[in-house]
Amino acid sequence: MPFGPSPVSPPSCAADALAMAEAAFDFLNGEDLPGLPVGVQADCLQSWARLEAKRAAAGASLIGAFRACDGPAADGQKSMAAWLAKFTRCTKTAARGQVAAFHRVTE
């Protein structure tokens, strides 16, 4: 895998963006990462750090938007953390962590 961004058309909607992200993760999970030259691995780790920061910001935006529209209540949940735990099948602790991260990003 040669390293460097290749031209990619921007997604046209949120669903397309998420599908692109999922496809990217699927590719990386199937790639022979240990077989890459160490310099390419280093470049990948630097890109990964930037992506993780962008993922955190996007996740906080999604949580904030869903909360602002009373999304959890519309699905019969008392809180954002309860909604996350039930509908994303994460643990309650992880759900509370996501909500706490939302508050840290938006402060």
Side-chain angles (χ1 to χ4, degrees):
M1 166 178 105
F3 188 77
S6 57
V8 175
S9 299
S12 61
C13 63
D16 285 351
L18 292 169
M20 290 173 75
E22 192 164 351
F25 289 131
D26 288 345
F27 174 83
L28 289 171
N29 286 330
E31 183 69 8
D32 178 23
L33 298 176
L36 296 175
V38 71
V40 173
Q41 290 175 353
D43 290 342
C44 288
L45 285 169
Q46 290 172 341
S47 291
W48 189 263
R50 287 189 304 276
L51 290 170
E52 180 58 26
K54 291 179 180 186
R55 187 221 47 87
S61 292
L62 283 168
I63 287 172
F66 193 66
R67 263 178 90 179
C69 294
D70 291 326
D75 278 333
Q77 301 304 303
K78 294 182 180 183
S79 69
M80 189 69 228
W83 188 93
L84 287 166
K86 180 173 182 176
F87 291 99
T88 69
R89 298 182 181 165
C90 67
T91 66
K92 291 178 182 179
T93 300
R96 287 190 293 269
Q98 290 179 54
V99 174
F102 157 75
H103 289 293
R104 283 192 302 273
V105 171
T106 58
E107 288 178 347

